[in-house]
Amino acid sequence: MNQRPEKSEYLEYQTAYISLVPSEGDLATILREQSKEIFALLEGLTEEQGSYRYAPGKWSIKQMIGHLTDNDRIMSYRLLCFARGEQAPLPGYEENDYVAAGDFDRFSLKEMLLHYRIVRESTLALLESLPADSWTKAGQFFSVPMTVRAQACVIIGHERHHMNVLQERYLKQA
């Protein structure tokens, strides 16, 4: 079964994330391999780098990790709802409000990475446990139908987007 979504399975703005997902391969495997990459990159940072912001008003690396953790929780919940047949419309979230409320800079970089790793393992377990017929099931996101496979691609693409930002804007200057 093709795990890549059709354009009718997600919102237009999500194309930016979905376009970052490799066109071939099992989505759970892609996310597992990508997770190894991002954790290897992040675990090599110092505590000082974890607090780095590339510009005033931008998130620190620890805040970015907090955002990725929150995002995994929210998006994997959506994916679960879609896979289980939930038809109630699911809301979006305002990322900057969540990051501010999370107060992630109070944690050490090591603690933030542990939180992210635990949540990511849960997301991977969910993806790896899905029956084959779940991938094309759809639920409502912003009152628009969205499929399980589209949500999985958004999770992968969103993390890839932030990996790119991390490498281009944080690590080149930190």
Side-chain angles (χ1 to χ4, degrees):
M1 197 248 341
N2 181 7
Q3 291 183 313
R4 299 311 179 276
E6 302 293 328
K7 287 189 181 265
S8 62
E9 297 177 37
Y10 55 90
L11 294 167
E12 180 63 31
Y13 83 88
Q14 294 169 320
T15 302
Y17 295 136
I18 292 174
S19 69
L20 296 174
V21 178
S23 60
E24 300 291 326
D26 173 75
L27 294 177
T29 302
I30 291 169
L31 186 61
R32 185 165 294 285
E33 292 303 312
Q34 183 172 293
S35 297
K36 290 176 187 175
E37 289 176 39
I38 196 164
F39 284 110
L41 179 64
L42 293 170
E43 288 169 348
L45 301 180
T46 66
E47 188 62 37
E48 181 180 10
Q49 286 174 305
S51 298
Y52 177 75
R53 300 165 195 267
Y54 68 87
K58 295 298 182 181
W59 295 342
S60 68
I61 291 176
K62 289 190 288 188
Q63 287 174 312
M64 180 189 290
I65 296 167
H67 165 66
L68 289 169
T69 304
D70 281 353
N71 192 74
D72 244 48
R73 284 182 171 119
I74 292 165
M75 291 194 177
S76 66
Y77 172 72
R78 283 185 203 150
L79 189 147
L80 173 67
C81 289
F82 300 161
R84 301 298 192 256
E86 178 63 61
Q87 291 302 304
L90 300 176
Y93 74 101
E94 176 46 54
E95 63 187 25
N96 289 311
D97 292 346
Y98 274 58
V99 168
D103 192 20
F104 300 121
D105 281 330
R106 77 182 192 275
F107 296 102
S108 70
L109 179 60
K110 185 176 180 178
E111 289 170 314
M112 290 306 303
L113 288 170
L114 178 61
H115 295 178
Y116 189 29
R117 185 177 295 283
I118 291 167
V119 171
R120 174 47 56 87
E121 285 301 321
S122 177
T123 300
L124 285 163
L126 175 60
L127 286 179
E128 292 168 348
S129 73
L130 291 173
D133 67 344
S134 291
W135 291 95
T136 55
K137 288 184 179 178
Q140 299 290 314
F141 174 62
F142 280 131
S143 299
V144 173
M146 185 172 188
T147 62
V148 169
R149 64 187 180 181
Q151 188 63 69
C153 286
V154 171
I155 291 169
I156 295 166
H158 177 264
E159 184 182 70
R160 175 61 60 191
H161 161 75
H162 282 288
M163 283 177 67
N164 292 342
V165 170
L166 182 66
Q167 291 172 327
E168 293 166 9
R169 298 185 185 162
Y170 287 85
L171 299 182
K172 284 187 179 179
Q173 299 177 29

